Amino acid sequence: MTKPSTQSKELEGLKKKIRFLTTLLIIFITGIAIYTTGSFIKQFAPTSQINALAPHAGEINKIIKPLRYSGINNLLNNDVTITIDFNAGTWKFHNIHRFDKEGRILLTNGRDGLCGDLAAYAYSKIRPLMDNKFEIEFLHVAESGFFLDPRASHIALIIRESALFSDKEYILDPSFQRYEPIDDFDDYQFFERTKMLPFLTEKNTDETFPIGTSTPLLITKDFLIGLMIDHQNGKIDKDNYILSLTATRRYKFAGRYILAFRKKRGEGEVLENKNLAFSLLGQETYEKIKEKLQTIRSQLP
């Protein structure tokens, strides 16, 4: 039997070293990918943040923990529709709020709602917990992740211990399941405080928005899904407008169309991004939303 040459032995040894180093490199890259993905999820996925020292933290945690920020199921209700006032430059979302016989806010499936509904629900539940030592008001805020524009008017609650006892203030945001001292909300900007939201006082089931303003529907996979009536071709009239479903990534201002029913110079057109739609909503949910928006579109001018 012929013995392997010294050169062959060296070549085989080199190959083994290359295979070994390649394996180490794959393990290293995989580890980095897992770490990076984990960090991304930790950084961007909304997580419950309850300060145990906040007033009635345990009871409030039980109230807000089941809540879910979503207006999708409500949108799919038969009586929910949209109208446009071209002269006023506004559009109205009909029946997006619901009340029981006593005038208390109702959440879809007992847990789903948008920020105003979730804040109103939380208010009704925690007000009996708080004695006269605490004042509770609704608070309009901008939140740095999904509600960057003050026009978004994200709604939370501010709980304040009266001056007789303390001047401590806490923010309760049921949409993101946060309940902490106000100083911990450095990612929020605070605007108007109000004793009661107008739609609660008036028991108004509708909301009116300026043309070009979106109303949120869902936060999922670090995207905010919104619904909007906007100008088209620089105009807003019965021949020029767009009804759109958009997706805006967290920390971004501009969104992308998922679905758009566009009317331009009287001609209709449908735009879709099914890949993004299926990724964010799932095919079944997206198809239901599309069917609903088709119905709404057929009722518009």
Side-chain angles (χ1 to χ4, degrees):
M1 180 180 295
T2 304
K3 293 183 180 180
S5 66
T6 302
Q7 187 177 9
S8 297
K9 289 181 179 180
E10 291 177 350
L11 182 60
E12 184 63 29
L14 181 60
K15 288 180 178 180
K16 288 182 179 180
K17 287 181 180 180
I18 291 174
R19 286 195 293 268
F20 176 72
L21 292 174
T22 300
T23 302
L24 286 180
L25 181 60
I26 292 171
I27 293 172
F28 176 76
I29 292 174
T30 303
I32 291 294
I34 293 172
Y35 174 80
T36 303
T37 303
S39 299
F40 180 88
I41 294 171
K42 183 179 180 181
Q43 181 180 0
F44 290 101
T47 56
S48 178
Q49 298 178 54
I50 308 295
N51 188 299
L53 299 180
H56 299 281
E59 296 97 323
I60 289 176
N61 183 40
K62 291 178 182 178
I63 291 169
I64 68 173
K65 189 174 182 180
L67 303 184
R68 187 171 64 174
Y69 186 96
S70 174
I72 296 296
N73 288 328
N74 196 18
L75 169 67
L76 298 177
N77 284 323
N78 292 331
D79 61 346
V80 171
T81 189
I82 288 173
T83 57
I84 308 175
D85 187 332
F86 295 111
N87 293 325
T90 60
W91 65 281
K92 182 177 288 188
F93 210 171
H94 298 270
N95 296 315
I96 64 170
H97 303 301
R98 298 180 185 276
F99 302 90
D100 64 16
K101 294 180 179 179
E102 285 71 41
R104 294 171 299 201
I105 197 73
L106 286 174
L107 300 180
T108 306
N109 299 324
R111 65 172 184 171
D112 293 349
L114 300 179
C115 60
D117 297 318
L118 296 179
Y121 176 85
Y123 178 91
S124 69
K125 295 295 183 181
I126 69 173
R127 180 66 274 182
L129 296 175
M130 305 289 187
D131 53 30
N132 294 332
K133 180 180 176 181
F134 298 96
E135 298 175 356
I136 307 174
E137 292 182 306
F138 292 89
L139 183 64
H140 292 264
V141 306
E143 186 267 342
S144 64
F146 294 109
F147 302 98
L148 297 151
D149 191 330
R151 292 180 304 168
S153 293
H154 182 61
I155 299 172
L157 296 172
I158 183 165
I159 300 170
R160 181 178 182 274
E161 294 189 61
S162 62
L164 179 62
F165 300 94
S166 172
D167 60 355
K168 292 181 180 178
E169 291 182 315
Y170 302 87
I171 302 297
L172 171 60
D173 188 343
S175 298
F176 292 98
Q177 298 188 347
R178 291 185 63 180
Y179 181 37
E180 301 176 276
I182 192 169
D183 290 342
D184 291 345
F185 283 79
D186 56 357
D187 53 341
Y188 281 49
Q189 188 172 2
F190 306 114
F191 298 102
E192 181 185 3
R193 298 187 185 196
T194 180
K195 295 289 185 183
M196 188 60 60
L197 297 174
F199 86 87
L200 290 176
T201 302
E202 301 164 7
K203 301 297 180 287
N204 192 349
T205 60
D206 307 334
E207 286 282 356
T208 301
F209 305 93
I211 296 294
T213 300
S214 171
T215 182
L217 288 179
L218 180 70
I219 294 175
T220 181
K221 299 180 181 179
D222 295 309
F223 279 86
L224 176 67
I225 310 297
L227 185 65
M228 178 171 61
I229 299 286
D230 204 357
H231 300 80
Q232 185 59 50
N233 198 33
K235 300 177 182 179
I236 183 71
D237 55 38
K238 65 181 182 63
D239 293 321
N240 297 278
Y241 64 85
I242 185 167
L243 166 64
S244 64
L245 192 69
T246 61
T248 305
R249 187 183 288 276
R250 195 169 196 177
Y251 303 121
K252 304 296 182 182
F253 283 100
R256 288 178 280 172
Y257 289 136
I258 295 178
L259 173 65
F261 295 93
R262 181 165 65 181
K263 198 170 184 183
K264 186 175 182 179
R265 300 186 184 94
E267 297 294 326
E269 182 182 14
V270 180
L271 307 173
E272 285 187 272
N273 186 339
K274 286 189 175 181
N275 288 335
L276 183 59
F278 291 173
S279 172
L280 297 180
L281 298 167
Q283 183 173 353
E284 182 179 357
T285 298
Y286 171 70
E287 295 295 347
K288 288 180 180 179
I289 295 172
K290 180 181 177 181
E291 182 180 356
K292 175 65 179 186
L293 293 185
Q294 285 176 321
T295 300
I296 289 175
R297 167 64 190 90
S298 68
Q299 297 167 351
L300 293 174

